[in-house]
Amino acid sequence: SVFRSNRYIYAQLIDDSKGITVASASSKNKESKESKKSEAAKTIGKNIAEKAKATGIVKIVFDRGRYAYHGRVKALAEGAREAGLKF
């Protein structure tokens, strides 16, 4: 699941069958600040993919919510794919 605000972007891995959040990542908690929001989104995508692989998750359903698949949402998805997640 993806949420984006004007300043930050958030990603969560949710197990719908159990109703729990498995892992999460956000640009709000980053130590290094990228100059562009799309670069931060790509970093968050890679971060959430690493957390997913650590818990044994390889294949996911990408829920972008009401957001169009472009800009920061697309950058997050591309970062997750580059790190090994399959949609």
Side-chain angles (χ1 to χ4, degrees):
S1 176
V2 176
F3 173 76
R4 68 175 177 86
S5 67
N6 288 336
R7 295 178 78 185
Y8 304 112
I9 191 158
Y10 306 86
Q12 289 183 331
L13 293 174
I14 303 169
D15 185 352
D16 286 333
S17 63
K18 296 179 183 174
I20 60 170
T21 300
V22 178
S24 65
S26 74
S27 60
K28 189 173 186 179
N29 298 339
K30 290 186 308 137
E31 289 81 23
S32 63
K33 299 285 184 182
E34 279 86 9
S35 60
K36 294 189 177 196
K37 294 177 186 176
S38 60
E39 292 173 4
K42 194 167 194 174
T43 303
I44 294 305
K46 290 179 181 179
N47 190 355
I48 198 75
E50 290 171 7
K51 289 181 179 182
K53 287 170 36 177
T55 60
I57 299 170
V58 180
K59 190 172 182 182
I60 63 166
V61 175
F62 188 72
D63 180 13
R64 58 182 173 79
R66 62 185 176 155
Y67 308 109
Y69 188 79
H70 71 89
R72 291 188 282 160
V73 175
K74 184 177 179 182
L76 188 141
E78 289 174 352
R81 280 191 184 113
E82 286 178 8
L85 276 183
K86 295 183 190 262
F87 296 16

